[in-house]
Amino acid sequence: MDLLQHAGLRRTRCREAVIGYFLEKGVALAHADLEQALPAYDRVTLYRTLATFMEHQLLHKVVDDGAVVKYALSETAHEHHHHVHFKCVQCQTTTCLAEVEAPRMSLPPAYEVHEQNLLLVGVCPTCH
Ligand SMILES: [Zn+2]
Ligand SMILES: [Zn+2]
């Protein structure tokens, strides 16, 4: 649990529970998943916790083809823009492939990239 300490954040039960759940699942999670898994905390507290984690780069947003925003744990602060996400069509989970670096694309002049989201869709090892 030194992720909180590492990010310079105070420990609260909610923060520890949220991080613990991300570590346990190992996949991208939506606010609703956390709400369901951690009924001891109300939605506002969970929203605030997610926002704090985003601010401190403990989490990053994962854009998949669903309508809801998902978040995933950032193992290191600087990896978060550059890796690929994988969505499984069978179990519907989205995973960070932190070791797969997204290719850098060259754009026409005067385009400045702030974010890059690369989603691969297919079948994960568990469903294979
Ligand atoms: Zn799967
Ligand atoms: Zn990721």
Side-chain angles (χ1 to χ4, degrees):
M1 284 293 171
D2 40 25
L3 282 172
L4 284 175
Q5 204 173 21
H6 190 74
L9 286 171
R10 204 164 44 86
R11 274 158 210 273
T12 66
R13 292 166 75 101
C14 183
R15 287 174 181 172
E16 292 193 338
V18 169
I19 293 221
Y21 192 62
F22 271 104
L23 287 171
E24 183 195 324
K25 299 312 267 186
V27 298
L29 299 168
H31 179 271
D33 298 325
L34 292 164
E35 216 181 308
Q36 203 169 36
L38 307 170
Y41 306 102
D42 61 52
R43 25 184 329 129
V44 178
T45 310
L46 288 172
Y47 268 120
R48 254 200 308 247
T49 303
L50 289 174
T52 306
F53 286 175
M54 286 292 293
E55 243 169 71
H56 287 78
Q57 305 191 335
L58 269 176
L59 293 178
H60 57 280
K61 271 190 193 172
V62 174
V63 178
D64 73 10
D65 53 359
V68 292
V69 179
K70 291 183 179 176
Y71 303 88
L73 222 46
S74 301
E75 279 161 40
T76 60
H78 55 270
E79 59 140 304
H80 63 286
H81 290 310
H82 308 295
H83 63 268
V84 165
H85 292 126
F86 190 94
K87 163 126 184 201
C88 176
V89 290
Q90 289 186 22
C91 63
Q92 300 291 314
T93 57
T94 307
T95 319
C96 292
L97 296 181
E99 68 280 13
V100 181
E101 205 177 319
R104 216 173 249 281
M105 285 164 233
S106 55
L107 296 177
Y111 283 91
E112 183 187 308
V113 178
H114 286 177
E115 239 182 275
Q116 172 172 305
N117 298 296
L118 189 53
L119 181 72
L120 304 178
V121 179
V123 180
C124 79
T126 312
C127 300
H128 218 97

